CSV table of all heavy atoms in Angstrom, one decimal:
chain,number,residue,atom,x,y,z
A,10,ARG,N,0.8,-1.2,0.0
A,10,ARG,CA,0.0,0.0,0.0
A,10,ARG,C,0.9,1.3,0.0
A,10,ARG,O,0.5,2.3,-0.7
A,10,ARG,CB,-1.0,0.0,1.2
A,10,ARG,CG,-1.9,1.2,1.2
A,10,ARG,CD,-2.8,1.2,2.5
A,10,ARG,NE,-3.7,2.3,2.4
A,10,ARG,CZ,-4.9,2.3,1.8
A,10,ARG,NH1,-5.4,1.1,1.3
A,10,ARG,NH2,-5.7,3.4,1.8
A,11,ARG,N,1.9,1.2,0.8
A,11,ARG,CA,2.8,2.4,0.9
A,11,ARG,C,3.4,2.8,-0.5
A,11,ARG,O,3.3,4.0,-0.9
A,11,ARG,CB,4.0,2.2,1.7
A,11,ARG,CG,5.0,3.3,1.9
A,11,ARG,CD,6.3,3.0,2.5
A,11,ARG,NE,7.2,4.1,2.6
A,11,ARG,CZ,8.5,4.1,2.4
A,11,ARG,NH1,9.1,2.9,2.2
A,11,ARG,NH2,9.3,5.2,2.5
A,12,LEU,N,3.7,1.9,-1.4
A,12,LEU,CA,4.3,2.2,-2.6
A,12,LEU,C,3.2,2.7,-3.5
A,12,LEU,O,3.4,3.7,-4.3
A,12,LEU,CB,4.9,0.9,-3.3
A,12,LEU,CG,6.0,1.1,-4.3
A,12,LEU,CD1,7.2,1.8,-3.6
A,12,LEU,CD2,6.5,-0.2,-4.7
A,13,ILE,N,2.0,2.2,-3.5
A,13,ILE,CA,0.9,2.6,-4.3
A,13,ILE,C,0.5,4.1,-3.9
A,13,ILE,O,0.3,4.9,-4.8
A,13,ILE,CB,-0.3,1.6,-4.2
A,13,ILE,CG1,0.1,0.3,-4.8
A,13,ILE,CG2,-1.5,2.2,-4.9
A,13,ILE,CD1,-1.0,-0.8,-4.5
A,14,GLU,N,0.4,4.3,-2.6
A,14,GLU,CA,0.1,5.6,-2.2
A,14,GLU,C,1.0,6.7,-2.6
A,14,GLU,O,0.7,7.8,-3.0
A,14,GLU,CB,-0.2,5.7,-0.6
A,14,GLU,CG,-1.4,4.9,-0.3
A,14,GLU,CD,-1.7,5.0,1.2
A,14,GLU,OE1,-0.7,5.3,2.0
A,14,GLU,OE2,-2.9,4.7,1.7
A,15,ILE,N,2.3,6.4,-2.5
A,15,ILE,CA,3.4,7.3,-2.9
A,15,ILE,C,3.2,7.6,-4.3
A,15,ILE,O,3.4,8.7,-4.8
A,15,ILE,CB,4.7,6.7,-2.6
A,15,ILE,CG1,5.0,6.7,-1.1
A,15,ILE,CG2,5.9,7.5,-3.3
A,15,ILE,CD1,6.3,6.0,-0.6
A,16,ALA,N,3.0,6.5,-5.2
A,16,ALA,CA,2.8,6.7,-6.6
A,16,ALA,C,1.7,7.7,-6.9
A,16,ALA,O,1.8,8.6,-7.8
A,16,ALA,CB,2.7,5.4,-7.3
A,17,LEU,N,0.5,7.5,-6.2
A,17,LEU,CA,-0.6,8.3,-6.5
A,17,LEU,C,-0.4,9.7,-6.1
A,17,LEU,O,-0.8,10.7,-6.8
A,17,LEU,CB,-1.8,7.7,-5.7
A,17,LEU,CG,-2.4,6.3,-6.2
A,17,LEU,CD1,-3.4,5.8,-5.2
A,17,LEU,CD2,-3.0,6.5,-7.6
A,18,ASP,N,0.2,9.9,-4.9
A,18,ASP,CA,0.5,11.2,-4.4
A,18,ASP,C,1.4,12.0,-5.3
A,18,ASP,O,1.3,13.2,-5.6
A,18,ASP,CB,1.0,11.2,-3.0
A,18,ASP,CG,-0.1,10.8,-2.0
A,18,ASP,OD1,-1.2,10.8,-2.4
A,18,ASP,OD2,0.3,10.4,-0.8
A,19,ALA,N,2.5,11.3,-5.8
A,19,ALA,CA,3.5,11.9,-6.6
A,19,ALA,C,2.9,12.3,-7.9
A,19,ALA,O,3.3,13.4,-8.5
A,19,ALA,CB,4.7,11.0,-6.7
A,20,THR,N,2.1,11.4,-8.5
A,20,THR,CA,1.4,11.7,-9.8
A,20,THR,C,0.6,12.9,-9.7
A,20,THR,O,0.6,13.8,-10.6
A,20,THR,CB,0.6,10.6,-10.3
A,20,THR,OG1,1.5,9.4,-10.4
A,20,THR,CG2,0.0,10.8,-11.6
A,21,ARG,N,-0.2,13.1,-8.6
A,21,ARG,CA,-1.0,14.2,-8.4
A,21,ARG,C,-0.1,15.5,-8.2
A,21,ARG,O,-0.4,16.6,-8.8
A,21,ARG,CB,-1.9,14.0,-7.1
A,21,ARG,CG,-2.7,15.3,-6.7
A,21,ARG,CD,-3.7,15.7,-7.8
A,21,ARG,NE,-4.7,14.7,-8.0
A,21,ARG,CZ,-5.7,14.8,-8.9
A,21,ARG,NH1,-5.7,15.9,-9.7
A,21,ARG,NH2,-6.6,13.9,-9.1
A,22,ALA,N,1.0,15.4,-7.4
A,22,ALA,CA,1.9,16.5,-7.3
A,22,ALA,C,2.4,17.0,-8.6
A,22,ALA,O,2.6,18.1,-8.9
A,22,ALA,CB,3.0,16.2,-6.3
A,23,ALA,N,2.8,16.0,-9.4
A,23,ALA,CA,3.4,16.3,-10.7
A,23,ALA,C,2.4,17.0,-11.6
A,23,ALA,O,2.8,17.9,-12.4
A,23,ALA,CB,3.9,15.0,-11.4
A,24,LEU,N,1.1,16.7,-11.5
A,24,LEU,CA,0.1,17.3,-12.2
A,24,LEU,C,-0.2,18.7,-11.8
A,24,LEU,O,-0.4,19.6,-12.6
A,24,LEU,CB,-1.2,16.4,-12.2
A,24,LEU,CG,-2.4,16.8,-12.9
A,24,LEU,CD1,-2.1,16.8,-14.5
A,24,LEU,CD2,-3.6,16.0,-12.7
A,25,ASP,N,-0.2,18.9,-10.5
A,25,ASP,CA,-0.7,20.2,-9.9
A,25,ASP,C,0.4,21.1,-9.4
A,25,ASP,O,0.2,22.4,-9.4
A,25,ASP,CB,-1.7,19.9,-8.8
A,25,ASP,CG,-3.0,19.2,-9.2
A,25,ASP,OD1,-3.3,19.4,-10.4
A,25,ASP,OD2,-3.6,18.6,-8.4
A,26,ASP,N,1.5,20.6,-9.0
A,26,ASP,CA,2.4,21.4,-8.2
A,26,ASP,C,3.8,21.6,-8.8
A,26,ASP,O,4.8,22.1,-8.2
A,26,ASP,CB,2.6,20.9,-6.8
A,26,ASP,CG,1.2,20.7,-6.2
A,26,ASP,OD1,0.5,21.6,-6.3
A,26,ASP,OD2,1.0,19.7,-5.4
A,27,VAL,N,4.0,21.0,-10.0
A,27,VAL,CA,5.3,21.1,-10.6
A,27,VAL,C,5.5,21.8,-11.8
A,27,VAL,O,4.6,21.6,-12.7
A,27,VAL,CB,5.8,19.5,-10.9
A,27,VAL,CG1,7.2,19.5,-11.7
A,27,VAL,CG2,5.9,18.7,-9.7
A,28,SER,N,6.4,22.7,-11.8
A,28,SER,CA,6.7,23.5,-13.1
A,28,SER,C,8.2,23.3,-13.4
A,28,SER,O,9.0,23.6,-12.4
A,28,SER,CB,6.4,24.9,-13.0
A,28,SER,OG,6.8,25.6,-14.2
A,29,LEU,N,8.6,23.0,-14.6
A,29,LEU,CA,10.1,22.9,-14.9
A,29,LEU,C,10.4,24.0,-15.9
A,29,LEU,O,11.5,24.0,-16.5
A,29,LEU,CB,10.4,21.5,-15.6
A,29,LEU,CG,10.0,20.3,-14.7
A,29,LEU,CD1,10.3,19.0,-15.5
A,29,LEU,CD2,10.8,20.3,-13.4
A,30,ASP,N,9.6,25.1,-16.1
A,30,ASP,CA,9.8,26.0,-17.1
A,30,ASP,C,11.1,26.8,-16.9
A,30,ASP,O,11.7,27.2,-17.9
A,30,ASP,CB,8.6,27.1,-17.1
A,30,ASP,CG,7.3,26.4,-17.6
A,30,ASP,OD1,7.4,25.2,-18.2
A,30,ASP,OD2,6.2,27.0,-17.4
A,31,ASP,N,11.4,27.1,-15.7
A,31,ASP,CA,12.7,27.8,-15.4
A,31,ASP,C,13.8,27.0,-15.8
A,31,ASP,O,14.9,27.5,-16.4
A,31,ASP,CB,12.8,28.2,-14.0
A,31,ASP,CG,12.7,27.1,-13.0
A,31,ASP,OD1,12.0,26.0,-13.4
A,31,ASP,OD2,13.2,27.2,-11.9
A,32,LEU,N,13.9,25.7,-15.5
A,32,LEU,CA,15.0,24.8,-15.9
A,32,LEU,C,15.0,24.6,-17.4
A,32,LEU,O,16.1,24.5,-17.9
A,32,LEU,CB,14.8,23.4,-15.2
A,32,LEU,CG,14.9,23.4,-13.7
A,32,LEU,CD1,14.7,22.0,-13.1
A,32,LEU,CD2,16.1,24.0,-13.1
A,33,ALA,N,13.9,24.7,-18.0
A,33,ALA,CA,13.9,24.5,-19.5
A,33,ALA,C,14.6,25.5,-20.3
A,33,ALA,O,14.8,25.4,-21.5
A,33,ALA,CB,12.4,24.3,-19.9
A,34,THR,N,14.8,26.7,-19.7
A,34,THR,CA,15.4,27.8,-20.4
A,34,THR,C,17.0,27.6,-20.3
A,34,THR,O,17.7,28.4,-21.0
A,34,THR,CB,15.1,29.2,-19.7
A,34,THR,OG1,15.6,29.2,-18.4
A,34,THR,CG2,13.6,29.3,-19.7
A,35,ARG,N,17.5,26.6,-19.7
A,35,ARG,CA,19.0,26.4,-19.6
A,35,ARG,C,19.5,26.0,-21.0
A,35,ARG,O,18.8,25.4,-21.8
A,35,ARG,CB,19.4,25.3,-18.7
A,35,ARG,CG,19.1,25.7,-17.2
A,35,ARG,CD,19.6,24.6,-16.3
A,35,ARG,NE,19.6,25.0,-14.9
A,35,ARG,CZ,20.6,24.7,-14.0
A,35,ARG,NH1,21.6,24.2,-14.4
A,35,ARG,NH2,20.4,25.2,-12.8
A,36,PRO,N,20.7,26.6,-21.3
A,36,PRO,CA,21.4,26.1,-22.6
A,36,PRO,C,21.5,24.6,-22.7
A,36,PRO,O,21.7,23.9,-21.6
A,36,PRO,CB,22.8,26.8,-22.5
A,36,PRO,CG,22.6,27.9,-21.7
A,36,PRO,CD,21.6,27.5,-20.6
A,37,ASN,N,21.3,24.0,-23.9
A,37,ASN,CA,21.3,22.6,-24.1
A,37,ASN,C,20.2,21.8,-23.6
A,37,ASN,O,20.1,20.6,-23.8
A,37,ASN,CB,22.6,22.0,-23.4
A,37,ASN,CG,23.9,22.5,-24.1
A,37,ASN,OD1,23.9,22.8,-25.2
A,37,ASN,ND2,24.9,22.6,-23.3
A,38,CYS,N,19.2,22.4,-22.9
A,38,CYS,CA,18.1,21.7,-22.4
A,38,CYS,C,17.2,21.3,-23.6
A,38,CYS,O,16.8,22.1,-24.4
A,38,CYS,CB,17.2,22.6,-21.5
A,38,CYS,SG,15.9,21.6,-20.6
A,39,PRO,N,16.9,20.0,-23.7
A,39,PRO,CA,16.2,19.5,-24.9
A,39,PRO,C,14.7,19.8,-24.8
A,39,PRO,O,14.1,20.0,-23.7
A,39,PRO,CB,16.4,17.9,-24.8
A,39,PRO,CG,16.6,17.7,-23.4
A,39,PRO,CD,17.4,18.8,-22.9
A,40,ASP,N,14.0,19.8,-26.0
A,40,ASP,CA,12.6,20.1,-26.0
A,40,ASP,C,11.8,19.1,-25.2
A,40,ASP,O,10.8,19.5,-24.7
A,40,ASP,CB,12.2,20.1,-27.5
A,40,ASP,CG,12.8,21.3,-28.3
A,40,ASP,OD1,13.2,22.3,-27.6
A,40,ASP,OD2,12.8,21.3,-29.5
């Protein structure tokens, strides 16, 4: 159960709380 709950919570966080836009402006950062 622990692994499943972590996966669910992390997926939700990735959807709602994560932005990589600042890192994407770095030189050499791929599309």
